Every structure is written in C-alpha cells, then in structure tokens.
Amino acid sequence: MKASIERAKILIESLPYIQQFRHKTVVIKYGGHAMVDENLQRQFALDVILLNHIGVNVVIVHGGGPQINRLLDRLEITPSYVQGMRVTDGETMNVVEMVLVGRVNKDIVGLINHSGGKAVGLSGRDGDLVCARKLQISVGADADALAEAPPEIIDLGRVGEVTKINAEVLTTLKREDFIPVIAPVGVGEDGQALNINADLVAGAIAGALQAEKLILLTDVEGVKDKGGALLRTLRAQDLDLLIGDGTIAGGMIPKVNCCRDALRQGVHKTYIVDGRLEHAILLEMFTHEGVGTEIY
C-alpha cells in the first residue's frame, strides 16, 4: 500500500505540468542511442503516447545516420564528409531517402501504433512540408587572406537547408489527434529531394508551430562546463561566449545554435536531453529538476 501511495503522490506532483502543457505543442528530435536500443524505443513510444493522451500536441522529427551508413556499407558506397556534413550525390540521396522514409520512419510509426498510439509518417516532401534550397559551404580562406584568396565554395550535392515550413499539413493532423513522425528529407526548388540535418528540421518546425518546447534527444547528458559538470540552464545570449572560449565545442555547437534559432522564431524553451536515460522526455517535462540542459 505504501508503494501505491507513493505512485499516487507522483501523479499529483505531475498535475501542474500536465495542466501547463495541455494543448501545447512539443517538438521532439528523436535520434542517437534512443533509436537503436529496443528497450528505449518502446519507452519512447509509450512516453509519446502518454503525452498525446493528456492533450500535448507531439511532433517527432527523427534522424537515421547510423542506419544510412550501414546500407551504404552493404552497397560498397564510401561516404564522405565536409565539416561534419554528408556529401550527398544522387546515388547517396536515393539511399538516404530509402532508409529515412522507407524504413526508419515506418518503424517508428509502426511501434507507436502497435503500442496504442495514432501516428502518421511523413517526409518533408509530403505536402511540401519542408521546403529547402541547396546548402553550400565555404572553406579554405581565413579573414587575413580573404582579399587575396576568396574561400572555396563546396557543393555538398543534395544537401539542403530549410527555407519554409508549410505547417498546414501538421495542423490538419493535429485536429484529428494524430502524432506526426517526420523524416528530415526536404523538397528543393526543382522538386527533388534534399537531405537536411534532423536537428535543423526539428528547430524550423518548432518555430513554425510556435512550440512550447523543442527537445533534442542526444547521446550525452547535455551541455557541460570545462570541468565536465552539467550546465542545467543556459541563456541564449551567452552561447557565443561559451563557444568562443571552447566550453561548447564539436557536435554540440550546431545543437545549441539550432536551439537559439528556434527561440528566435518564437519557441518558448529548448532542451538538449540525454536520450539514453529511461523516460527522459517525461522526466524533462513533468519534474521540477528536469534532465539535460535548458536553453532559454
């Protein structure tokens, strides 16, 4: 009986958060270890279904880099990267779309539906949900040499950046209480598919929907200081300083920049959360301490 009472107390403690987030939109970028561990997959599906049943409008954007790499390896296609971004020629794009849209997306949708939810799988090409243009980056010249040697423009192939989100597709699904599960494949100006970073797609969708929260699931606890301690909260205006002094480095830089861009677009709060932690989403949303790093 004592254990049952404790469980009841936990439910009561969650009530203010349930009331706060009811009818609000939460965009979750689903990736990393949480996508490949079967136990965490099931927990993620149940967490999402619970949020949906208590009235939270959940939108999921997923990654799939490891799954893409496995198929490329089987096809004996060697991937190449520039500044951490996959160079995507036509053949590679076919594999990317096949894996993200045809396999990973449907696996997530199937798991949610099998667990009692109502999910619908989409790519950014469906209903022109995610409009994009080709992304180009420049390398090879620093500020001192810029006048004499302009930077080299690198064509990454079918890699895109978001230009517009057509949120009507998502609002239509929300009215019917469906959970959208979105693969980060956009549609270019020529109608062709473009490969887009899943964090960036999640941030753009969160901004277009004026989401209450953007949650990025990753494989680390969150943003840490130079001593390795977790930073529970960060102000967006402090990010440049922390990047400049090396506190935020490597793969964490695009994640915090994604959060900052989402905040500028009207998202209320953003979070970088350890997806390896059981029920990380619920712990973040329904406990006072939360988990991971909040950027506001």
Side-chain angles (χ1 to χ4, degrees), residues 70-250:
R70 282 198 293 270
L71 183 54
L72 288 173
D73 185 58
R74 285 172 55 191
L75 296 174
E76 298 183 349
I77 300 173
T78 302
S80 59
Y81 297 87
V82 175
Q83 296 183 8
M85 289 176 283
R86 185 193 305 275
V87 177
T88 309
D89 58 16
E91 186 178 22
T92 302
M93 187 66 228
N94 290 337
V95 173
V96 168
E97 193 165 21
M98 182 190 312
V99 172
L100 291 180
V101 182
R103 178 64 186 273
V104 176
N105 187 273
K106 302 315 173 191
D107 285 348
I108 298 168
V109 169
L111 182 59
I112 293 172
N113 290 341
H114 180 71
S115 302
K118 290 174 56 180
V120 173
L122 303 165
S123 84
R125 301 177 74 184
D126 293 318
D128 283 350
L129 172 59
V130 180
C131 297
R133 61 171 171 252
K134 284 186 62 174
L135 175 66
Q136 292 184 326
I137 60 173
S138 58
V139 296
D142 56 30
D144 294 333
L146 187 59
E148 298 179 4
E152 179 186 2
I153 304 299
I154 301 297
D155 186 352
L156 297 171
R158 305 267 287 275
V159 176
E161 58 183 345
V162 178
T163 57
K164 181 182 178 183
I165 300 294
N166 289 314
E168 297 88 350
V169 178
L170 303 179
T171 55
T172 299
L173 291 173
K174 181 179 73 174
R175 284 197 297 268
E176 300 300 324
D177 205 29
F178 284 102
I179 301 168
V181 180
I182 303 164
V185 174
V187 57
E189 296 168 348
D190 58 358
Q192 298 297 308
L194 292 174
N195 182 25
I196 309 176
N197 178 277
D199 289 340
L200 299 182
V201 173
I205 288 175
L209 296 175
Q210 298 291 282
E212 181 72 18
K213 290 176 179 281
L214 167 65
I215 300 175
L216 305 181
L217 293 182
T218 185
D219 282 347
V220 294
E221 289 182 81
V223 182
K224 297 183 179 181
D225 65 18
K226 288 185 175 179
L230 179 65
L231 297 170
R232 292 287 185 181
T233 61
L234 286 174
R235 299 187 307 168
Q237 54 264 46
D238 294 333
L239 294 178
D240 283 337
L241 176 62
L242 294 172
I243 293 171
D245 70 10
T247 300
I248 299 175

